[in-house]
Amino acid sequence: MKPVISATNLHHAYGKGDLRKPVLIDINLKIYPGEIIILTGPSGSGKTTLLTLMGGLRSVQEGSLKILDRELCGANKKQLVAIRSGIGYIFQAHNLLKCLSAQQNVSMSLKLHKHLNSADRKAKSIAMLNAVGLGERIDFYPDNLSGGQKQRVAIARALVSQPKLVLADEPTAALDSKSGRNVVEIMQKLAKEQGCTILLVTHDNRILDIADRIIHMEDGQLVNSSASSQPESQRSSLVVSS
């Protein structure tokens, strides 16, 4: 089985010359279809940088990074856009457009799928909002939704196109315990139903139990991971550099 994410000898740094600061150091990681992986570590350890590289939001500097079997190192802008169209994103700040309703915000992520007309996009958006428990709020605007409801709209937006990979950066950070738990359980349920892989960055120890595997990061390196519940043949592999 081919991995959804494959990083080999991946390095990344900010700045140049004397100001150059390594942020990621020799990252080697494989994540397979259907897995829910949580990435933990202190602030500044490189988690978000790694996530943005995987999402095609930054250019890969050194090493190999394959997402959905496509190499990101050396990819041009057009290729990165194509890769991003197959990924769902959920961030701490839900990033909803205030001028659009819940349904319209979800529909926005289907704009890249040219084979869908406006009626198809609307129908899929409404169905996904029903799936996350917001069927009665499809016409509500973000200012009229609670924090947990906004994050559920963001989940619907990320999953409506049925991506093979979802990247989530601190999706529960701004939520209370009950809302945060509800949000990740919705992510877990829908991801398993759709057969997609989730890589979730978090400091929230309350949600670690949803993961098939937990990987810890410090000072730009992957330092350890928990045992996976997956069969050995399908397990995420992690090579830790010295």
Side-chain angles (χ1 to χ4, degrees):
M1 182 182 293
K2 288 185 177 181
V4 174
I5 298 173
S6 178
T8 306
N9 305 130
L10 184 66
H11 295 258
H12 197 81
Y14 294 141
K16 296 181 179 180
D18 293 339
L19 298 177
R20 181 178 171 84
K21 179 183 178 182
V23 180
L24 299 177
I25 303 167
D26 199 24
I27 301 295
N28 292 275
L29 175 66
K30 284 182 171 57
I31 297 174
Y32 289 90
E35 292 187 300
I36 297 177
I37 307 298
I38 284 182
L39 183 61
T40 66
S43 296
S45 59
K47 305 184 303 299
T48 295
T49 297
L50 181 57
L51 205 70
T52 54
L53 285 172
M54 290 175 171
L57 303 175
R58 296 180 190 273
S59 297
V60 176
Q61 294 175 346
E62 182 181 347
S64 172
L65 179 58
K66 290 184 179 180
I67 303 298
L68 303 171
D69 205 33
R70 288 182 281 189
E71 178 62 64
L72 269 64
C73 186
N76 59 37
K77 289 184 178 180
K78 184 176 180 180
Q79 290 168 328
L80 289 176
V81 168
I83 291 169
R84 287 197 292 265
S85 70
I87 301 173
Y89 301 89
I90 305 169
F91 299 106
Q92 176 180 344
H94 44 76
N95 295 331
L96 301 181
L97 295 175
K98 291 184 177 183
C99 61
L100 299 181
S101 68
Q103 179 266 309
Q104 290 168 331
N105 267 285
V106 175
S107 291
M108 285 291 290
S109 69
L110 294 172
K111 290 280 189 176
L112 290 175
H113 299 266
K114 303 300 184 184
H115 64 285
L116 297 174
N117 59 36
S118 59
D120 291 334
R121 292 196 297 268
K122 183 175 181 178
K124 285 180 175 292
S125 301
I126 292 173
M128 186 55 66
L129 285 166
N130 274 298
V132 300
L134 292 177
E136 296 180 356
R137 289 174 168 80
I138 60 173
D139 294 322
F140 281 43
Y141 288 82
D143 284 346
N144 296 319
L145 298 172
S146 69
Q149 289 168 345
K150 290 174 185 175
Q151 201 61 305
R152 279 191 271 167
V153 175
I155 291 171
R157 181 180 58 191
L159 293 175
V160 70
S161 62
Q162 296 190 315
K164 297 298 183 183
L165 173 63
V166 171
L167 302 175
D169 192 4
E170 299 284 4
T172 65
L175 304 177
D176 59 44
S177 177
K178 183 179 179 180
S179 297
R181 186 74 201 178
N182 182 249
V183 159
V184 295
E185 286 180 349
I186 290 170
M187 288 172 59
Q188 181 185 38
K189 176 178 180 290
L190 293 178
K192 289 299 184 183
E193 288 176 356
Q194 294 187 7
C196 76
T197 300
I198 291 180
L199 179 60
L200 191 156
V201 168
T202 189
H203 287 103
D204 191 347
N205 292 331
R206 301 168 299 183
I207 64 171
L208 299 182
D209 60 298
I210 73 158
D212 297 316
R213 188 177 180 89
I214 300 169
I215 298 172
H216 188 70
M217 208 171 177
E218 286 186 16
D219 299 324
Q221 296 177 292
L222 304 180
V223 294
N224 60 51
S225 67
S226 68
S228 173
S229 60
Q230 296 289 326
E232 184 68 29
S233 63
Q234 298 181 20
R235 188 172 297 173
S236 296
S237 66
L238 169 64
V239 180
V240 179
S241 58
S242 58

